[in-house]
Amino acid sequence: MSYLTLFAFLICTIIIGYFIGNRRAVGMRPAVKSKLPENKLHSLPGFHGTYVALWCGIPSLLLLFAWLFLEPSILSAMLGNALGDAGIGLSQDQLELLKGSIRRAAQNSQNPIDDTLLPVVESYKNIVNSTGIGGMVVIGCGAIIGLYFSQKKIAQRFAARHRVEKIFSIIMLLSSLVAVLTTFGVVVSLIFETIRFFGMVSFTEFLFGLHWSPQIALRDDQVASSGSFGAVPIFAGTLLITAIAMVIAVPIGLFSAIYMSEYASPRFRSWAKPLLEILAGIPTVVYGFFAALSVAPMLRNWGVDFGLEISSESALAAGVVMGVMIIPFVSSLSDDVINAVPQSLRDGSYALGATRGETIKLVLLPAALPGIVSSVLLATSRAIGETMIVVMAAGLAANLTANPFQAVTTVTVQILTLLVGDQEFDSPKTLAAFALGFVLFIITLCLNILALKIVNKYREKYD
Amino acid sequence: MSVQKTGVPMSEKQISSQVGKFTSRGVDVYYGDKQALFGIDIDIMENKVTSLIGPSGCGKSTFLRCLNRMNDVIDICRFEGEILLDGQDIYASEIDVVELRARVGMVFQKPNPFPKSIYENIVYGPRIHGMIDGRSDADEIVETSLKRAGLWNEVKDRLNEPGTGLSGGQQQRLCIARAIAVNPEVILMDEPCSALDPIATAIIEELIDELKENFTIVIVTHSMQQAARVSQNTAFFHLGKIIEFGETDQIFTNPRNQQTQDYITGRYG
Ligand SMILES: Nc1ncnc2c1ncn2[C@@H]1O[C@H](COP(=O)(O)OP(=O)(O)OP(=O)(O)O)[C@@H](O)[C@H]1O
Ligand SMILES: [Mg+2]
């Protein structure tokens, strides 16, 4: 017996439950056809079947999950009992170690174990077996009980249709709660760790300090590694790279969206648009080494030609490639909103003797503005959160500069480097990552709220 | 609530002696492989209202859109034949569509004001055609256009509110004002009252009657009464062909063709 068999058993019961429900309902179909509701089956047989199947499946699956969570602690408690005298006088940690070695020995007889403990191992094996079987029996019974009681409810006027809908609406509610709770959990843990960080590093130093070098001395006598957590340079770096990316992405994305929706022939559009969207599907690592290996050297060579000093890791290279990466975000969404402007507005403008260009500039873009703005803000959030390209192309040096030809670093890259490798979980170096993440989260949140506000403000402009 | 006709009925002879504003000869229109119009020959008289009637799908809108080349916007649409405006072929290669549409305005079935202020809606056309020099010019165009469309009194205090905030009938008059503002020679109307209640319809019909002093008007309508009330000439379309074309009074009182008779008396359609 294993969980696989149990699972197969549950699936079978569910299918059987469906057929039982279905057949019972079919059997209750009145012989005479009549228009009167009391002489009709309230719900189609399929709904009765689904109803029984749901009652078979949901409680037993819930039991199964509960069991999977509870089993380890139940077993541990029972092992404690089985140890009896052997466990007395041991500290908590020692006890856990002992239990662990018994568990390993029970799983595989190759694992070494003290001979005096062999009886305990044997009895532990029995315990594991019997509780396992017991749990499975309980779960299996749950399914069968569910089946029995739910099929008993089936009757001619039983509103299975509404019950099934109700159950599904609950399932959908739970699914959406998963997303909400996850977000909530992430935010709460961010907040807690951020507060811990600010317990060690002052708030003002973090927000206004101009020097970022998070290396903390692991030993007191270590030289040249006093941590300092002024986050201004890395936020400035983020800002610089994002700005470069937007300067590239917004005009190109917008123009391509306008071309696609207003000028392109349907044939051109049918292959060009999917191609543009593939751009969004390229993994960012690929963009990253493209930036580091092709674009950055190329820019440096151009720089030499023009007499400019462009370092091989530069904000410019990262920003340009990031801009290319987010073009599809701007163009695809803008294209959709421009397309959504009613044809009647275009007709109205053409009928007044406007050219295409005038129509686009004076009617379509103003009408599509909210959507365009929100697509730009979405792309900005993307750019701010982007890591790979910057790691590879812009470097790790936290320079405070507005010169795009120099190496800079961004918030996301610093988070990455703070957490790569072995870390102490309570050092300010590690916690700084949470603080940075939190600030980043606040920034993107504000951008999203701003986007929503703009969209709502202008929403009912045309209709 | 019939609207009194102000036009004096004319005899056949007078009609044929008058100059056609538009002359359509042998117009065939295709949507892809499907032919929608077959050899349309009609003359649209200056400063008259011409109504196009006929069952749904017979090609009235298609013909109307040929007159200002709005069909150019539709990729699959193909035009053959000849339409002359004041003797000049509007499909000739030297014709600038944009200028043609400034001369031949259009009002659509569904009111389609731009999502801008009432003021901006009116000055839109004049501005792109360079008819406005400065603010006072614009104000004047807005006022005269709205007055001619009979909307001035209702909106003069809210010119900066969005045009989309008006009622359906007001929106349609705004669209008419917008078309008048570029000072066209012809105004095409495609079922301008189909989305409106009888009162708004009556207002627009009255307006059409006044406008014909200065403009040539072509109107598509599904309402026989409306055609009879507002138009001097009527063309009856059926399956992409002109079945009968002549004075409205004659078409409605004494049609020469049995199909026309059946249609206007409501026996099919
Ligand atoms: N954009 C288009 N693409 C393809 N076929 C079209 C298009 N527009 C119209 N047609 C076809 O051309 C024919 C004439 O259509 P049209 O719109 O001119 O009819 P109509 O007389 O205006 O009808 P209605 O009174 O319902 O408005 C119809 O058969 C229609 O299916
Ligand atoms: Mg039509």
Side-chain angles (χ1 to χ4, degrees), chain B residues 56-57 59-62 109 190-191 220 222:
Chain B
S56 201
K60 308 178 295 291
S61 301
T62 304
Q109 177 169 1
D190 195 347
E191 300 181 40
V220 171
H222 276 288

Side-chain angles (χ1 to χ4, degrees), chain A residues 306-360:
Chain A
F306 285 100
L308 292 170
E309 184 94 14
I310 302 182
S311 63
S312 59
E313 286 181 329
S314 67
L316 189 63
V320 167
V321 174
M322 196 193 280
V324 172
M325 183 195 82
I326 58 180
I327 286 173
F329 287 86
V330 179
S331 75
S332 185
L333 270 173
S334 302
D335 184 13
D336 288 346
V337 292
I338 293 175
N339 260 325
V341 177
Q343 180 65 30
S344 66
L345 289 187
R346 293 185 178 83
D347 284 346
S349 173
Y350 294 143
L352 287 169
T355 61
R356 257 176 214 234
E358 287 159 347
T359 305
I360 290 165

Side-chain angles (χ1 to χ4, degrees), chain A residues 245-246 248-258 276 323 325-338 371-380:
Chain A
M246 298 319 284
I248 302 276
V250 171
I252 295 181
L254 204 53
F255 284 149
S256 82
I258 292 173
L276 198 68
M325 183 195 82
I326 58 180
I327 286 173
F329 287 86
V330 179
S331 75
S332 185
L333 270 173
S334 302
D335 184 13
D336 288 346
V337 292
I338 293 175
I372 292 171
V373 168
S374 68
S375 79
V376 167
L377 290 183
L378 185 76
T380 313

Side-chain angles (χ1 to χ4, degrees), chain A residues 116-271:
Chain A
T116 54
L117 286 174
L118 273 180
V120 185
V121 170
E122 279 312 308
S123 63
Y124 180 68
K125 276 186 185 167
N126 287 336
I127 292 171
V128 169
N129 271 337
S130 50
T131 48
I133 288 173
M136 288 184 200
V137 168
V138 168
I139 293 164
C141 285
I144 290 174
I145 291 171
L147 194 159
Y148 176 74
F149 282 104
S150 58
Q151 62 90 31
K152 260 182 77 164
K153 286 187 100 166
I154 290 177
Q156 197 183 328
R157 298 304 304 155
F158 177 62
R161 210 172 153 193
H162 299 313
R163 298 296 180 86
V164 168
E165 194 157 328
K166 183 104 206 171
I167 294 173
F168 271 109
S169 73
I170 292 171
I171 293 176
M172 287 183 264
L173 173 72
L174 292 179
S175 311
S176 48
L177 279 185
V178 169
V180 173
L181 289 180
T182 313
T183 317
F184 190 72
V186 170
V187 172
V188 167
S189 83
L190 265 184
I191 291 176
F192 269 106
E193 303 302 335
T194 305
I195 290 172
R196 276 178 69 191
F197 173 73
F198 284 125
M200 301 179 205
V201 175
S202 91
F203 193 65
T204 43
E205 189 204 331
F206 180 73
L207 277 193
F208 304 109
L210 299 184
H211 188 63
W212 177 265
S213 110
Q215 293 311 321
I216 295 273
L218 291 176
R219 298 186 316 274
D220 287 337
D221 55 344
Q222 208 167 335
V223 284
S225 22
S226 61
S228 83
F229 293 94
V232 171
I234 61 178
F235 280 104
T238 301
L239 195 71
L240 180 61
I241 290 183
T242 307
I244 296 171
M246 298 319 284
V247 165
I248 302 276
V250 171
I252 295 181
L254 204 53
F255 284 149
S256 82
I258 292 173
Y259 182 77
M260 289 281 177
S261 66
E262 297 302 309
Y263 290 96
S265 71
R267 262 196 42 228
F268 177 77
R269 191 185 151 85
S270 70
W271 62 262

Side-chain angles (χ1 to χ4, degrees), chain A residues 266 343-345 347-356 358-359 362-363 366-367 460-463, chain B residues 65 68 70 73 75 98 101-102 104-106 108 112-116 124 128-129 164 178-179 182:
Chain A
Q343 180 65 30
S344 66
L345 289 187
D347 284 346
S349 173
Y350 294 143
L352 287 169
T355 61
R356 257 176 214 234
E358 287 159 347
T359 305
L362 300 172
V363 176
E460 69 269 307
K461 280 213 92 175
Y462 66 81
D463 201 357
Chain B
R65 293 163 63 90
N68 66 345
M70 278 299 279
V73 179
D75 290 322
V98 166
R101 290 186 189 142
V104 185
M106 189 166 203
F108 297 83
N112 58 350
F114 300 127
K116 303 174 184 292
Y124 182 87
I128 56 183
H129 295 297
T164 39
R178 186 174 75 179
V182 285

Side-chain angles (χ1 to χ4, degrees), chain B residues 84-102:
Chain B
L84 306 179
L85 172 61
D86 290 335
Q88 192 183 20
D89 184 0
I90 62 169
Y91 281 84
S93 55
E94 69 271 14
I95 288 285
D96 185 350
V97 187
V98 166
E99 281 168 8
L100 170 72
R101 290 186 189 142

